[in-house]
Amino acid sequence: MSVLAEIKPRSQVLINEINGDSFSKRRLAQMGMRKNKTLVVLENVGKGPILVEIDHSKLVIGRKLAEKIIVRQVTPNKAR
Amino acid sequence: MDLPGIYGFGPASPEEIFPREILVKGQYEIIVNVVDGTKLERSLFLTHQLLTLNKSMILVVTFSDKMTEQGISIDIKKMEELLGVPVLVINSFNKSDLTQLKNTIFSRLEQPRLPRPILLPQLKKTKVFEKAEAEIKNILNLHSFPENDLAHLTKETLAYFIALRDDYLWKRLSTDLRDSIERIIKNTEHEFDLKNGLDIWLIEKEYEIIEQMQKQVLIRRSKAGQHSISEKIDRILLHPVWGIIIFITIMWLMFQTIFVVSQPGSDLLDLLFHNLAKEVKNTIPSPVIASFLADGIIDGVGFVLIFVPQIALLFIGLTLMEQSGYLARVVFITDRFMSKLGLSGKSIAPLILGFGCNVSGVLSTKSISDRKERITTILANPFIPCSARFPVFVMLSASFFPKHAGSILTLVYFAGITMAVLVSWILRNTLTRGEETSLLLEMPDLSVPSLRTIFYQTYLYLREFVEHAASWIAGGVIGIWILSVTGPKGFLGPDAMNDAGIMQESWIFLLGKLLLPIFSPLGWNTELVVALLFGFVAKEIVISTLGLLYGIKGEETLLGALGNSVDPISGLAYMFFILMYTPCIATLVAIKNEIGTKWAVFSVMIGLLAGWLVAFVIVYVGGLF
């Protein structure tokens, strides 16, 4: 298990748990982020936000929030 | 009615409450639910919730062209059958598609048919919702809620939205009722061990239902290994180094274009109003009425209108950035810098726009959902030196520092940015301190927006600007005119506007004298203080006022006169004060409309305070040498 903020780009992960403040948790849920859902990390550089793809939509998640999302890596560095 | 976007019902950011109130109150015939066909999973979420409102609906699936491109197809028949509403797949650029949409709307209006909501019956099959719903319904009945304007909603739907913690509905509940419902929710969560809460459980269940439905209606032939053009461009736009370079270049190009293109338009309007005023003075026999019309009304209205070309271009630029999806990229690449200030990437666009005009800067904060972050961004905005202050700084730096005008000008701009940053940081650590805002937004695919969308959006922005600001700027100029042509001795005559000797007798000059003690430690004279009073209306009036007060026409001589009467250090302090002292009337009105009178007053206070303190420090430190 690791947090979403630590996942390298082009990896596929499975969401295990979402923590954080209640407003963000609900907003994430509305956007389809939920337990056992897979998503692909597209961009993750330095201290910037993380870009993920979920349900064919792209989502920008601030780093602070991404540190509260616990995930399990499915495929490491999926080839381009 | 075109409602702003919402994701679903539940807790809202400020701009989302209004559309929900409209939807829940049900004072409409039909819901035209427009969804993005390439992101159907997401769109069906809101669709299901809207269906529980029991209103006639048409589901319009757009971007049929992109769907074909991406290998997406929908079983329309099946979808209509499942949802009980007509489903239209269209390309919004295609005229015949739009005609078909129009016809469908009209035929539905003639024969309204209720949809077949599948969400609630499905949810009711679960023990969790069955129990929570029954108990909430009971307690609502006991308190005879809802009132008349919500009576058309079924108790089931109400219980569902309340369980989702919809902000609008919760606002309508009495304290007693809220407490009871809170207890029901707590008990349900405890009994069924819902760790994330009932509302999140409901959202997740809805997604499960959507997933099942999708399997029946949606076919995606994924083209693996292929990247769309949008994704290829994003490699560069989102790059931590190249992205920033491109961003700065685009902004620079935008301002250059705005400056070059709008100048002739502004000059032309200026000339037009100038001649109109002259004409009025020549034709109307009564000098009082003539002066009121020419110096008061025409000047006042003209002052607003000469900004229109500039602001129109700014808004075209902003709309282009927004509609193409580029703004979301900017948010992405600047977030890491903004988060150091306690803000998020969403605050960057308003601050940038502030260089053009603080009014547009303030108006563009609408996209920031966190109220405290929004207040901070708005209050920092007036410190960004807008284009109206530019001529003032050029003029003053040339008169006080003939040899180093360019460097001084750069210094002032740099100081403005520093102040905006400093003010944001201080506010975020004091008055607007709050939970660190976590950035969360959807990144749309890059696309070329249609001209019609851009012009329509720009027109809406412009209309808002003219309506809100115009009356106040015009009012302000008229007010200043009245204070200039009247004094303790009564009416001074319209010549006061052209004769510094007469103006000395006016209220405005008296006010300047009254305020002088506050500013004399900074080494300023009455003329400079009076010019500040005028500058409150709009900063660029400072120059023309100084010219008037020194009884000089023409810039060349004003340079000399100013340089002779005020020492350079006091002059520099004066420039910094103008940079900060208060937002102009138009900006102030925008602030009041966006976040309320209290914050607008506060904005004036911090401006005056910061301006005076910085000016004082400059004079004090300058005096040491």
Side-chain angles (χ1 to χ4, degrees), chain B residues 40 54 76 89 151 165 188-189 245 260-261 271 340 389 440 448 457 552 617:
Chain B
L40 212 60
N54 270 322
I76 299 177
V89 181
R165 291 181 183 279
T188 318
E189 287 169 356
I245 293 174
V260 173
V261 179
L271 195 73
K340 291 205 173 102
R389 272 173 272 183
L440 182 59
V448 182
Q457 189 66 45
I552 302 160
V617 169

Side-chain angles (χ1 to χ4, degrees), chain B residues 194-255:
Chain B
L194 310 178
K195 261 184 280 168
N196 283 322
L198 178 63
D199 50 344
I200 291 185
W201 184 87
L202 285 169
I203 295 172
E204 291 182 350
K205 263 280 166 294
E206 187 184 334
Y207 265 109
E208 275 175 31
I209 295 167
I210 291 170
E211 251 171 38
Q212 279 167 16
M213 187 178 150
Q214 236 171 256
K215 278 179 197 148
Q216 301 180 57
V217 298
L218 185 71
I219 303 158
R220 269 183 197 274
R221 271 175 245 97
S222 74
K223 298 177 177 172
Q226 263 190 33
H227 289 274
S228 66
I229 302 168
S230 171
E231 275 170 0
K232 279 180 191 151
I233 300 175
D234 269 345
R235 289 264 153 77
I236 307 165
L237 292 185
L238 299 178
H239 192 273
V241 178
W242 289 114
I244 296 280
I245 293 174
I246 289 170
F247 169 54
I248 291 169
T249 314
I250 287 179
M251 290 320 292
W252 181 79
L253 276 174
M254 194 171 109
F255 283 125

Side-chain angles (χ1 to χ4, degrees), chain B residues 463-484:
Chain B
R463 202 179 63 181
E464 194 176 347
F465 167 76
V466 173
E467 276 174 6
H468 286 305
S471 50
W472 283 86
I473 299 185
V477 174
I478 293 168
I480 294 262
W481 177 84
I482 292 172
L483 289 176
S484 307

Side-chain angles (χ1 to χ4, degrees), chain B residues 332-568:
Chain B
F332 183 84
I333 52 172
T334 54
D335 185 68
R336 60 191 153 131
F337 305 110
M338 301 306 284
S339 64
K340 291 205 173 102
L341 297 176
L343 301 173
S344 76
K346 283 191 179 178
S347 300
I348 193 80
L351 291 176
I352 290 161
L353 285 167
F355 281 105
C357 172
N358 295 140
V359 174
S360 27
V362 169
L363 293 183
S364 64
T365 58
K366 282 192 203 312
S367 63
I368 302 172
S369 51
D370 183 88
R371 184 168 162 85
K372 283 180 173 168
E373 183 182 354
R374 183 154 180 246
I375 291 172
T376 314
T377 315
I378 286 179
L379 292 177
N381 214 286
F383 291 95
I384 298 283
C386 64
S387 57
R389 272 173 272 183
F390 186 69
V392 183
F393 294 142
V394 171
M395 182 78 198
L396 293 176
S397 54
S399 43
F400 298 129
F401 303 93
K403 285 187 186 137
H404 306 286
S407 322
I408 294 292
L409 197 64
T410 316
L411 179 74
V412 171
Y413 262 72
F414 188 70
I417 300 164
T418 314
M419 279 308 290
V421 168
L422 205 66
V423 166
S424 309
W425 186 79
I426 292 173
L427 283 173
R428 274 310 255 175
N429 284 292
T430 53
L431 285 177
T432 56
R433 187 210 301 266
E435 255 182 78
E436 190 153 338
T437 44
S438 357
L439 184 63
L440 182 59
L441 83 156
E442 208 168 328
M443 188 177 287
D445 288 335
L446 287 170
S447 66
V448 182
S450 76
L451 279 175
R452 212 175 53 189
T453 320
I454 293 174
F455 285 123
Y456 186 64
Q457 189 66 45
T458 306
Y459 162 75
L460 287 182
Y461 276 135
L462 261 188
R463 202 179 63 181
E464 194 176 347
F465 167 76
V466 173
E467 276 174 6
H468 286 305
S471 50
W472 283 86
I473 299 185
V477 174
I478 293 168
I480 294 262
W481 177 84
I482 292 172
L483 289 176
S484 307
V485 295
T486 57
K489 286 181 186 161
F491 187 60
L492 302 170
D495 284 344
M497 292 302 285
N498 300 314
D499 187 326
I502 302 178
M503 201 187 228
Q504 300 247 352
E505 304 286 320
S506 68
W507 286 117
I508 194 109
F509 216 86
L510 222 68
L511 196 60
K513 274 190 188 144
L514 203 69
L515 294 173
L516 189 61
I518 304 174
F519 298 109
S520 50
L522 308 173
W524 303 344
N525 54 29
T526 317
E527 282 82 0
L528 292 185
V529 177
V530 172
L532 289 177
L533 291 174
F534 280 86
F536 176 60
V537 174
K539 302 284 167 101
E540 54 274 63
I541 313 184
V542 169
I543 292 296
S544 51
T545 312
L546 282 174
L548 174 66
L549 293 174
Y550 278 97
I552 302 160
K553 293 277 168 198
E555 289 189 0
E556 289 300 314
T557 34
L558 178 60
L559 288 179
L562 269 178
N564 288 335
S565 63
V566 182
D567 72 279

